[in-house]
Amino acid sequence: RKDMVAAMKAKDKERKEAISSLVSAVKKAAIDAGCRDDIPDEMANEAILKEVKTVKEQIDTCPASREDLLAEYKTRYDIFMEYAPKMMSADEVEAFITERFADVVASHNKGQIMKAVMPELKGKAEGSVINQVVAKLCQA
C-alpha cells in the first residue's frame, strides 16, 4: 500500500493501477477465506502468483499487432514480479526433493512423487520446474 501511495504521489498511473489490482486481489482472497483483517503471507503470495499467472497468459495470448496492449501487459508483469515471492530454481527443487522425499523418489513412480512433493512446494516453485525435476529423478 505504501508503494501504491508513492506511485500516486509520483503520478505514475500505470504503477498505481498495477499495485492497486494486486492489493484488491489479495483483499478479495482474504475476504473469501474469511480473514479480512489479518491476512497470512501465504495467502497474499498465492493471490499475487495468481495475478502474475493471469498477466503472463495475457502476454502470451495477445496478438503481436497490438503492441500497445503488449507493452501494457509487460509493464504490469514487471511490476507484479517485484512483489511475487522468489521461486526456487531447478537445482534447489532437486536438492529439496532428494533430501525430504528420498523414500518416495526411490520408488521411481512419478505420480507418487508429485503427489507427495506438490503440497510442500506449492507457491515456492513453478509446477513445470517441479515436473521436469521429478521426471529427471525418475529416469535416474
Side-chain angles (χ1 to χ4, degrees):
R1 289 187 181 174
K2 290 176 195 162
D3 291 345
M4 189 169 69
V5 171
M8 281 185 218
K9 288 181 180 177
K11 296 190 180 359
D12 188 347
K13 186 179 176 195
E14 284 181 346
R15 187 169 182 79
K16 185 212 106 154
E17 287 177 0
I19 296 170
S20 174
S21 70
L22 275 184
V23 169
S24 63
V26 171
K27 279 184 185 176
K28 183 184 180 320
I31 290 170
D32 290 348
C35 58
R36 185 182 192 134
D37 297 324
D38 194 21
I39 304 170
D41 285 345
E42 291 139 20
M43 185 182 295
N45 287 342
E46 214 171 283
I48 291 170
L49 288 173
K50 191 173 181 183
E51 291 298 306
V52 167
K53 186 177 179 182
T54 302
V55 84
K56 181 91 173 102
E57 287 172 1
Q58 288 174 326
I59 291 171
D60 294 342
T61 59
C62 184
S65 60
R66 292 295 310 268
E67 291 173 15
D68 55 332
L69 265 181
L70 205 54
E72 180 184 327
Y73 292 153
K74 285 181 180 175
T75 303
R76 182 168 269 209
Y77 178 78
D78 292 340
I79 293 168
F80 285 1
M81 289 308 289
E82 292 175 29
Y83 299 96
K86 186 183 179 303
M87 292 293 170
M88 294 169 73
S89 70
D91 294 334
E92 292 171 323
V93 170
E94 186 173 348
F96 181 84
I97 292 172
T98 52
E99 182 183 312
R100 298 274 304 271
F101 299 99
D103 52 333
V104 184
V105 172
S107 72
H108 292 292
N109 182 331
K110 187 175 180 182
Q112 284 182 330
I113 297 170
M114 289 297 283
K115 192 174 179 182
V117 168
M118 284 310 286
E120 293 281 328
L121 290 175
K122 186 173 184 179
K124 296 177 185 168
E126 289 187 33
S128 59
V129 172
I130 297 169
N131 193 12
Q132 288 172 352
V133 170
V134 170
K136 181 176 144 190
L137 290 173
C138 286
Q139 291 173 352

